[in-house]
Amino acid sequence: MKIFYFTTTGNCLEVAKKIGGELISIPAVLKCDKFDFEDDIIGIVTPNYEGDLPSPVKEFLKRVKLKADYLFGIITYGAFNANANEVLLRIGQQNHIQFNYINSIIMVDNSFVYFDIEKQIKNLPKKRVAESIIKIKTEIEHKINKIYGINIGRKLIGVLISSYPKKKKNYSKKFYVEDTCIKCGICEKVCPIDNISIEDKPVIHDKCILCGACTHNCPKNSIRYKGEKSKSRYRNQNVSVTEIIAANN
């Protein structure tokens, strides 16, 4: 079994690790020339980004060729999954990837733009993540054919989201770095799209997808965002910063 994953604070990597198999980072694949993969079971684990998928995951799905007897997708989210399961199903179909199984897991929402991260962490035990992963792993092992989280209500939400005018946002303009920065370079190493350089201070360039890897993994909590809900930051307790660096390089 091969599992392709995209992670910035460790949630998707925790899920992938607990399901098992050969784990392959999506950003790492995008930096190589090999896009043909084969196995008996192939999975994709990705976060929900405002009812959509991260742009690197969508690029991966457009370029990759997957050959497997059983294909599954898992989406992690923190508050409301909206119609992200259907988005994954649809993008897969557009690119000749026919999922047998799609499900989602509620975890900590790492969006400091919309949520108080400290409250998210405090409420984590109520989300029963371990039990959800065990259930999903069992269904995958039994090769259950089921697409969860697709219904009329979620489809209507999807229509509303897709009809909302989308403007290209330059998130980098809202980041700033406090004087506590020690220029360790971790932010540069964890960025999944190579969008940070270290000068007098870290510089976040204009390709930013607001994944939060840089600020959540900063050892001094020095990278701030204008209008953030709290100064607290998060990394999955079962994933190290070393693993995230390895995943995004």
Side-chain angles (χ1 to χ4, degrees):
M1 176 165 60
K2 289 182 174 64
I3 299 180
F4 297 90
Y5 68 95
F6 180 88
T7 198
T8 57
T9 57
N11 284 343
C12 289
L13 182 50
E14 180 194 14
V15 173
K17 286 165 64 175
K18 289 185 174 178
I19 293 175
E22 179 187 357
L23 308 186
I24 305 171
S25 159
I26 288 175
V29 172
L30 292 174
K31 294 173 185 177
C32 300
D33 294 328
K34 181 182 177 184
F35 286 92
D36 292 80
F37 297 93
E38 182 176 353
D39 211 322
D40 58 334
I41 300 175
I42 292 179
I44 294 168
V45 184
T46 175
N48 176 335
Y49 275 24
E50 297 184 338
D52 203 346
L53 306 181
S55 54
V57 174
K58 291 195 283 189
E59 181 184 352
F60 168 80
L61 291 171
K62 290 176 182 177
R63 299 176 67 180
V64 77
K65 296 185 184 301
L66 304 177
K67 185 177 180 181
D69 296 326
Y70 186 81
L71 281 164
F72 70 87
I74 307 298
I75 294 176
T76 65
Y77 69 102
F80 184 47
N81 196 36
N83 68 321
N85 289 18
E86 185 175 7
V87 171
L88 177 59
L89 178 67
R90 184 176 66 249
I91 293 176
Q93 291 172 337
Q94 290 171 352
N95 296 285
H96 310 291
I97 299 171
Q98 187 62 52
F99 287 101
N100 302 94
Y101 180 91
I102 293 177
N103 209 338
S104 54
I105 298 178
I106 185 168
M107 303 178 81
V108 167
D109 197 308
N110 64 16
S111 175
F112 42 82
V113 177
Y114 301 113
F115 297 99
D116 183 322
I117 303 300
E118 193 169 325
K119 288 182 180 178
Q120 282 286 311
I121 295 170
K122 184 178 179 180
N123 290 331
L124 180 59
K126 299 177 183 178
K127 298 183 178 182
R128 306 176 74 86
V129 173
E131 292 91 333
S132 296
I133 295 176
I134 290 170
K135 177 182 181 292
I136 286 173
K137 180 179 180 181
T138 300
E139 291 185 336
I140 290 170
E141 289 173 345
H142 287 84
K143 294 186 177 180
I144 300 298
N145 284 276
K146 187 166 185 178
I147 310 297
Y148 289 90
I150 295 181
N151 54 49
I152 293 175
R154 291 180 185 273
K155 287 183 178 181
L156 288 174
I157 291 170
V159 171
L160 290 173
I161 292 173
S162 61
S163 63
Y164 188 80
K166 292 183 179 180
K167 296 180 181 179
K168 188 175 180 181
K169 299 177 182 178
N170 189 347
Y171 298 113
S172 62
K173 290 183 177 180
K174 288 195 172 185
F175 280 100
Y176 61 99
V177 181
E178 295 182 335
D179 292 337
T180 51
C181 172
I182 57 174
K183 294 191 286 188
C184 63
I186 287 176
C187 56
E188 181 181 28
K189 294 173 184 176
V190 298
C191 178
I193 59 169
D194 296 333
N195 190 53
I196 297 176
S197 60
I198 305 298
E199 298 175 17
D200 291 335
K201 287 183 178 180
V203 176
I204 300 170
H205 300 286
D206 59 9
K207 292 190 299 179
C208 179
I209 59 173
L210 200 59
C211 71
C214 58
T215 181
H216 282 294
N217 291 290
C218 174
K220 293 296 183 179
N221 200 0
S222 301
I223 302 176
R224 308 253 58 87
Y225 190 82
K226 295 176 184 177
E228 62 189 22
K229 295 297 182 182
S230 73
K231 287 196 171 185
S232 297
R233 293 296 185 257
Y234 164 79
R235 185 174 66 249
N236 187 292
Q237 62 182 354
N238 297 309
V239 174
S240 69
V241 68
T242 303
E243 289 178 293
I244 294 176
I245 290 172
N248 292 321
N249 285 278

